[in-house]
Amino acid sequence: MTAAPDADFTRRTQPYRRELLAHCYRMLGSVHDAEDLVQETYLRAWRSFDGFQGRSSVRTWLYQIATNACLTALQHRGRRVLPSGLGAAGHDPAAEPAMAPPGTRWLQPLPDALVTAEAADPASVAVARDSLRLALIACLQYLNGRQRAVLLLRDVLGLPAGEVAAILGTSTAAVKSTLQRARARLDEIATAAEQAAAPTEPGQRALLAEYMAAFRNSDAAALERLLHRDAVIEMPPFQTWFEGKRTCVAYLVAQVLGAPGDWLLYPTRANGQPAAVAYLRETPGPYRAFGVAVLTTTADAVTRIAAFCDPELVTLFGFPSEISDTAARDGAAAVLEHVRAEPFPGGSATAR
């Protein structure tokens, strides 16, 4: 086989890498799996580039490869979940949270910075963020692979039914039927809160700043003011989750907040939502990476905290694995002021 000219291949395919990563993430619910499948997509495309005859656009051709690679991967993997998808909410905020059974496949948050270019059109960014909301990705996990693919290709990417049929090797009628079933299933699963439009970005910034300050100061009263009366908190890999402002605050006070200065949080964005990377200092010494909290908000309250307790996610979002006490003292106030006044850094290592 004659090797594809690298420069021409890169020029024609590289502009689609970010959106293909977003597509694979929507299909799979895992940023790590999505990155692997994008790599596989580009490898397959490179190997067959000489034979690409332009019967479709390069973009559609890449989506065909990526979508079918995702469908193959889904044949061997169960759905990814959040704790609220595993059972009823807990009732004793003072009890030790239960770990999920071994082998539970968790949904992962996606850094906005991986899929949103800095120079992207603001309208396109808004559409991309809305289609990456954590609640939507969780709902998509209840669709089978083919339903996910049709729904995403038609409703998110806006491809014509005939083009989707060609990508999936099926008929236009089958695409329309599958889309109808997928939409009906989503309507059954999604709550009104999950379907509600997100507040403006300045409002999100203000709520995030208040959330970070409350943790840093171990301020239970501030969290109580911040949380919606029906707020939910869930903490993968713990199976236990809580709902209701009173229960959530009681849990945070009993088992999480600790003393002022134990926690250090920095702003970022995940799944088109305000988020914070979290560091914890349990003994004198540096703050060590703890995980990432993704917030769902209304105009004036936090309705859900998805706190992913995984230190590796902190570095995935572009932050260091630990921060010295000196750096924390020098930078915390400035960072809190920054998140009120500036756009989200979206994965930049603000803490460094």
Side-chain angles (χ1 to χ4, degrees):
M1 180 188 77
T2 303
D6 289 347
D8 188 37
F9 175 79
T10 300
R11 178 183 61 81
R12 297 180 66 183
T13 64
Q14 198 62 26
Y16 306 109
R17 182 175 286 272
R18 287 178 182 268
E19 61 178 276
L20 286 169
L21 179 62
H23 177 64
C24 291
Y25 171 77
R26 295 184 192 103
M27 286 287 295
L28 303 171
S30 161
V31 63
H32 297 311
D33 289 352
E35 287 178 327
D36 289 345
L37 265 294
V38 169
Q39 288 293 104
E40 182 176 336
T41 295
Y42 273 83
L43 180 59
R44 291 185 183 183
W46 183 83
R47 286 173 173 167
S48 58
F49 188 59
D50 279 352
F52 175 61
Q53 298 177 353
R55 286 190 293 268
S56 65
S57 68
V58 170
R59 181 174 182 259
T60 299
W61 178 59
L62 290 172
Y63 270 101
Q64 179 175 18
I65 297 171
T67 300
N68 285 288
C70 288
L71 289 174
T72 299
L74 286 171
Q75 293 175 3
H76 310 289
R77 305 173 190 178
R79 71 182 179 95
R80 289 186 174 271
V81 297
L82 290 172
S84 54
L86 292 177
H91 299 290
D92 184 0
E96 188 73 20
M99 295 292 291
T104 301
R105 292 172 53 79
W106 295 111
L107 207 64
Q108 292 180 330
L110 174 70
D112 278 21
L114 292 182
V115 294
T116 304
E118 294 182 3
D121 172 64
S124 299
V125 170
V127 171
R129 285 176 173 175
D130 189 59
S131 67
L132 289 167
R133 288 177 296 114
L134 202 57
L136 175 60
I137 303 302
C139 289
L140 288 174
Q141 296 294 303
Y142 289 88
L143 305 180
N144 64 42
R146 210 160 187 82
Q147 287 174 335
R148 282 184 223 179
V150 169
L151 184 81
L152 294 174
L153 292 170
R154 289 286 287 121
D155 285 359
V156 174
L157 297 175
L159 298 182
E163 198 167 330
V164 174
I167 287 174
L168 298 177
T170 187
S171 66
T172 301
V175 166
K176 293 179 177 178
S177 175
T178 301
L179 179 61
Q180 186 176 16
R181 291 196 301 273
R183 287 172 175 168
R185 180 66 175 133
L186 276 192
D187 286 341
E188 292 174 3
I189 299 164
T191 66
E194 289 166 344
Q195 295 171 338
T200 62
E201 191 167 294
Q204 291 180 337
R205 285 201 298 270
L207 290 169
L208 179 60
E210 292 176 30
Y211 174 82
M212 294 190 302
F215 261 80
R216 181 169 180 80
N217 298 326
S218 187
D219 190 341
L223 283 169
E224 188 168 3
R225 291 192 299 270
L226 188 63
L227 293 181
H228 190 273
R229 65 177 181 274
D230 299 321
V232 168
I233 183 168
E234 48 192 339
M235 311 80 64
F238 296 104
Q239 181 171 335
T240 305
W241 62 284
F242 299 101
E243 62 180 345
K245 176 192 291 195
R246 182 175 299 179
T247 305
C248 290
V249 172
Y251 165 72
L252 291 171
V253 170
Q255 304 204 46
V256 179
L257 283 183
D262 284 350
W263 289 95
L264 190 62
L265 281 74
Y266 291 95
T268 186
R269 283 200 73 99
N271 296 83
Q273 299 170 227
V277 294
Y279 294 82
L280 178 62
R281 183 178 59 182
E282 297 179 339
T283 58
Y287 287 86
R288 301 191 185 280
F290 182 84
V292 176
V294 182
L295 307 186
T296 303
T297 66
T298 64
D300 57 3
V302 174
T303 59
R304 181 178 293 265
I305 303 169
F308 297 86
C309 309
D310 181 355
E312 292 185 1
L313 288 175
V314 173
T315 54
L316 175 68
F317 275 73
F319 290 79
S321 58
E322 66 177 46
I323 297 174
S324 70
D325 185 56
T326 301
R329 285 197 304 269
D330 291 345
V335 169
L336 286 177
E337 185 61 30
H338 174 81
V339 73
R340 292 188 180 99
E342 301 295 334
F344 286 105
S348 63
T350 308
R352 295 185 198 214

